[in-house]
Amino acid sequence: HTLTIEQAKTLTGRTLDLEAAYKQLLVAGASRWASVLVVRDTDSDSDKLFVSEVLPFGATSSVYAFNRVSRALQKIGIKLFGVIWSNFFDDYPQVDIAASGEGAKLVAEQFLSLLGWKFSTKSNKRLEFAREFEVLGAVLDLTKSHEGKVIVKNKPSRLKDLSTTVSEIVAAGVLTPAAATKLR
């Protein structure tokens, strides 16, 4: 199948989301001594020890370890399977030419499944490739990709929040530090 230049530049995208990502990485047996958490039992007014079998979410070393594995998955997907994607923690924004249909989606999902990784299959998370898609709290607009343009914009909900905040600032006549942080 031969593509025109315009077809080759017409892109679509989606974001693949790993499901309960940290819970998919087990703590190595030799490191279990370092995965003991102290939890306060308010009923008995005593501390209880809990051994985490998986990376404890939020722990600094868990973030570092997860990001290394997450980046490795990204690199393997690119090198071995030609998946065009990036990653940010457990999100994998993925792009492909529109003419290829859903092939890239299947390749990415089958690759992760082959390794035993679970990804979200919820209808609001496992979206089809589209000309516009949400990625990392923003919208990636590929509708002009055939012209060599890709637009990154705020999500509609973010625009509404900003509009409300600006209206409140104008009405108050002062920009407080708290209001300023909402404008980030």
Side-chain angles (χ1 to χ4, degrees):
H1 185 279
T2 304
L3 296 175
T4 66
I5 297 292
E6 186 168 328
Q7 288 173 321
K9 290 181 175 182
T10 302
L11 303 176
T12 58
R14 72 176 194 130
T15 299
L16 183 147
D17 181 44
L18 294 180
E19 187 172 280
Y22 280 66
K23 292 181 180 178
Q24 295 190 56
L25 285 177
L26 299 176
V27 173
S31 297
R32 287 180 55 140
W33 66 270
S35 69
V36 178
L37 306 171
V38 177
V39 179
R40 186 73 177 169
D41 182 350
T42 55
D43 292 336
S44 66
D45 196 33
S46 64
D47 293 336
K48 302 289 183 181
L49 299 178
F50 170 76
V51 179
S52 180
E53 300 291 331
V54 297
L55 292 182
F57 183 79
T60 303
S61 59
S62 295
V63 174
Y64 176 72
F66 180 79
N67 281 338
R68 289 181 63 193
V69 173
S70 185
R71 181 55 52 99
L73 291 172
Q74 179 219 3
K75 296 292 185 191
I76 294 167
I78 292 169
K79 296 276 185 190
L80 295 183
F81 300 103
V83 177
I84 303 168
W85 62 0
S86 184
N87 82 293
F88 185 76
F89 294 95
D90 62 342
D91 288 334
Y92 288 81
Q94 187 178 0
V95 176
D96 203 5
I97 58 174
S100 72
E102 295 296 312
K105 175 182 175 182
L106 295 173
V107 169
E109 291 179 357
Q110 289 298 312
F111 160 60
L112 292 172
S113 294
L114 179 68
L115 295 177
W117 281 88
K118 294 177 179 72
F119 49 87
S120 182
T121 56
K122 295 175 186 168
S123 60
N124 66 328
K125 293 275 191 172
R126 189 178 177 226
L127 302 175
E128 303 298 321
F129 277 85
R131 298 300 308 270
E132 283 190 8
F133 69 103
E134 290 186 11
V135 55
L136 309 174
V139 173
L140 194 62
D141 181 346
L142 303 172
T143 56
K144 296 185 182 203
S145 63
H146 62 284
E147 299 173 14
K149 298 176 185 173
V150 173
I151 301 164
V152 179
K153 56 189 178 183
N154 284 308
K155 292 174 23 176
S157 60
R158 175 69 178 137
L159 291 174
K160 183 180 177 199
D161 291 345
L162 284 171
S163 178
T164 300
T165 300
V166 169
S167 295
E168 291 169 354
I169 292 167
V170 170
V174 63
L175 176 61
T176 65
T181 61
K182 293 180 180 180
L183 297 175
R184 61 181 176 0

